[in-house]
Each structure stands twice: as C-alpha cells, then as structure tokens.
C-alpha cells in the first residue's frame, strides 16, 4: 500500500495554480473523543481546509503551547492510542479524498517501530509525517521507510536556522517545509511578524519545496498576511480553542471549527 505524498504535492500545486496559499489545519486525534476528533476534521475540510495535520497526542509536548497541551491531555486521559490516530487518518481521508498527515514527536514512533508505523500510515491513506523534534542527521532510517511507503517527511525550520542548516533540512525533506513563524511554542499571536517572511525567503533560496508557515495564525487577517508570502498557512491552536470553548457541546464545536475554516479559507484567497 502506497501513501499519498503525491496527493499532498498535487493539492499544494493546485492552490498555487489558483494564485493562493493552501490552508492547512491541525487537530489532535482523540480530541475531544476519537469519534469527535474525526468529525471535527471532516468539518474543517468541509469549511475549506486543503490539508489536515492529525496530532498524535504526547505526554510531553515540548513544542506545543497550553491550548494544544490541554487537548492532548484530554485525548490521553480518554485513552487514545496510535491505532486511533491511524483510524482518524483513514476515516478523514476516505470521507474527503484530501491529504491527511500526522504530526508527531519522535518518541512514539521510535517505540512503536518505524516500519510498522510507516506501513500502517500508508495503509490508512496518510500523506506523510511532520516530525518537529527529529534531527535531520538522525533521520535516514525514517526517510528510507517513508520513501518506500510513499509518505512525505516534513521537517520544521525556525527563524534561528542558519542558511547552511536550512539547505541541509530542505534537502532531506519532502512534501513541504514547515516554517515556524517565531521562536517558542504553538499558540495564537497578535502578529505573525516579519521574521516569518524572511524565513520563507531564505528557505525558498535552498529548495523548490512549498514553504508553509505555522505558529501564531488564528484569524483571516493573519491568514491573508501570511498567504502573501508563503505557499501554505498552518493553523492549529485556534481550531483547538474553538472546540474547548464549546465546552462539551459537540454540535457547537463542529459549527465553530467549520466557520473558522471558512473564514481562514477566504483569508488565504484574498492575499494580494
């Protein structure tokens, strides 16, 4: 079974052909429940997201801010397993035909087994993995298995990354490059800032891969700003917060994330 890296590439290329950025949403598996999380992803796609990242909840999410940490804690207390993550990917992709990635820290994959994880993700129709804490120099075995199963390996670059380091990272990655707009953890921000535009410019100088910006984007105005210089706009905490704000009312939460996706989708289309 081959994964959907080509679908991911085609989706990003189609957005570029429409002279806009792609909208990439993030939601953790198992939040607020496994079934509720799948429904939320479908709602986000229905609202206009092009790609979804499914978070694999982790007990020590060092790069995630308090909103996603809260969601991960809810999912873990609910007993979410890697099998539930795979089910989430499968059902979200089958229902929509759109690319679904997994965003995960390295430790759960290492414990689960690289071959087992990549084989199951490909079988579920996954497009690849975003691996924020896997050093490129230690990624050869992962990339070998990912390539074999048709999965993208998306690495994260940051404003602190030197040009030489950017070239090393982008040469090893596939699918797209995840550009963190600022130093720090995930969460909404008042401003995404000029650092992100500079990082995108420097990253593009090293690679033809699409460069998608995340960390801090939470509304249509910011989405429009980032879409003016990036190939994709990544939004996570804002979606999670909408579900938290629904306070257990699943219907309200689904409506809220669908509406936010629609607002952001309009924002990425308004970029000049």
């Amino acid at each position: 079974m081959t994964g959907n890296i080509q679908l991911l590439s085609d989706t990003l290329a189609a957005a570029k052909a429409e002279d806009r950025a792609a909208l990439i949403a993030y939601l953790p598996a198992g939040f607020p429940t496994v079934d509720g999380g799948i429904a939320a992803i479908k709602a986000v796609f229905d609202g206009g997201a092009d790609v979804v990242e499914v978070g694999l909840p982790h007990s020590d999410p060092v790069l995630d801010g308090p909103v996603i940490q809260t969601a991960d804690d809810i999912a873990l207390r609910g007993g979410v397993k890697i099998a539930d993550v795979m089910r989430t990917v499968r059902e979200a992709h089958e229902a929509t035909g759109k690319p679904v990635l997994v965003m995960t820290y390295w430790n759960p994959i290492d414990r689960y087994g690289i071959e087992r994880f990549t084989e199951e993700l490909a079988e579920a129709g996954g497009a690849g993995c975003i691996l924020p804490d896997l050093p490129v120099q230690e990624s050869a075995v992962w990339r070998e298995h990912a390539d074999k199963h048709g999965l993208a390996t998306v690495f994260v670059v940051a404003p602190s990354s030197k040009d030489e380091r950017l070239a090393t990272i982008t040469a090893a990655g596939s699918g797209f490059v995840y550009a963190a707009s600022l130093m720090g953890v995930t969460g909404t921000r008042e401003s995404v800032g000029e650092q992100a535009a500079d990082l995108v410019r420097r990253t593009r100088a090293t690679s033809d891969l699409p460069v998608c910006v995340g960390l801090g984007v939470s509304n249509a105005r910011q989405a429009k700003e980032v879409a003016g210089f990036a190939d994709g706009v990544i939004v996570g905490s804002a979606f999670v917060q909408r579900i938290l704000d629904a306070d257990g009312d699943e219907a309200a939460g689904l409506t809220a994330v669908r509406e936010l996706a629609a607002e952001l989708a309009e924002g990425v289309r308004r970029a000049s």
Side-chain angles (χ1 to χ4, degrees):
M1 187 71 181
T2 301
N4 274 312
I5 184 173
Q6 190 61 51
L7 176 62
L8 174 65
S9 297
D10 291 348
T11 299
L12 295 172
K16 184 176 183 179
E18 294 174 11
D19 196 27
R20 67 173 179 88
L23 174 60
I24 303 175
Y26 166 95
L27 280 168
F31 169 73
T33 63
V34 176
D35 288 343
I38 294 168
I41 292 169
K42 292 177 183 177
V44 166
F45 272 133
D46 187 48
D50 298 291
V51 180
V52 166
E53 305 170 8
V54 175
L56 195 161
H58 188 49
S59 57
D60 186 26
V62 294
L63 297 179
D64 290 311
V67 172
I68 292 176
Q69 285 186 27
T70 298
D72 277 4
D73 184 57
I74 290 169
L76 291 168
R77 285 191 283 114
V80 70
K81 306 293 185 188
I82 288 181
D84 299 311
V85 177
M86 298 299 179
R87 178 188 156 209
T88 299
V89 171
R90 177 181 294 105
E91 294 193 14
H93 171 64
E94 287 180 350
T96 65
K98 294 185 177 180
V100 182
L101 300 105
V102 170
M103 185 165 189
T104 178
Y105 295 97
W106 180 245
N107 182 258
I109 294 178
D110 194 36
R111 292 175 60 185
Y112 197 71
I114 299 172
E115 172 62 21
R116 180 184 179 193
F117 190 94
T118 51
E119 184 175 358
E120 290 183 6
L121 182 56
E123 190 276 329
C129 256
I130 301 166
L131 300 163
D133 66 340
L134 176 63
V136 173
Q137 62 270 26
E138 298 174 16
S139 68
V141 175
W142 160 266
R143 287 186 283 123
E144 177 186 343
H145 287 287
D147 290 347
K148 181 172 73 172
H149 291 292
L151 299 169
T153 297
V154 179
F155 289 113
V156 179
V157 298
S160 61
S161 302
K162 304 298 184 185
D163 291 350
E164 183 179 355
R165 177 69 175 163
L166 289 176
T168 300
I169 293 171
T170 58
S174 56
F176 66 90
V177 182
Y178 187 125
S181 66
L182 40 76
M183 303 302 295
V185 298
T186 58
T188 62
R189 303 290 197 282
E190 286 300 312
S191 173
V192 178
E194 294 180 6
Q195 277 189 325
D198 180 64
L199 177 59
V200 170
R201 178 189 59 76
R202 293 193 298 117
T203 303
R204 281 181 173 155
T206 72
S207 173
D208 292 329
L209 285 174
V211 184
C212 304
V213 171
L215 271 68
V217 179
S218 62
N219 57 48
R221 176 184 58 79
Q222 292 172 328
K224 178 182 178 182
E225 176 192 355
V226 173
F229 58 79
D231 299 297
V233 179
I234 303 170
V235 181
S237 295
F239 283 113
V240 173
Q241 188 64 58
R242 293 289 178 104
I243 295 175
L244 290 171
D245 289 345
D247 198 24
D249 184 335
E250 182 173 335
L254 294 178
T255 297
V257 295
R258 186 181 296 108
E259 289 177 349
L260 177 59
E263 293 167 14
L264 294 165
E266 182 182 351
V268 300
R269 285 166 171 80
R270 288 205 315 263
S272 56

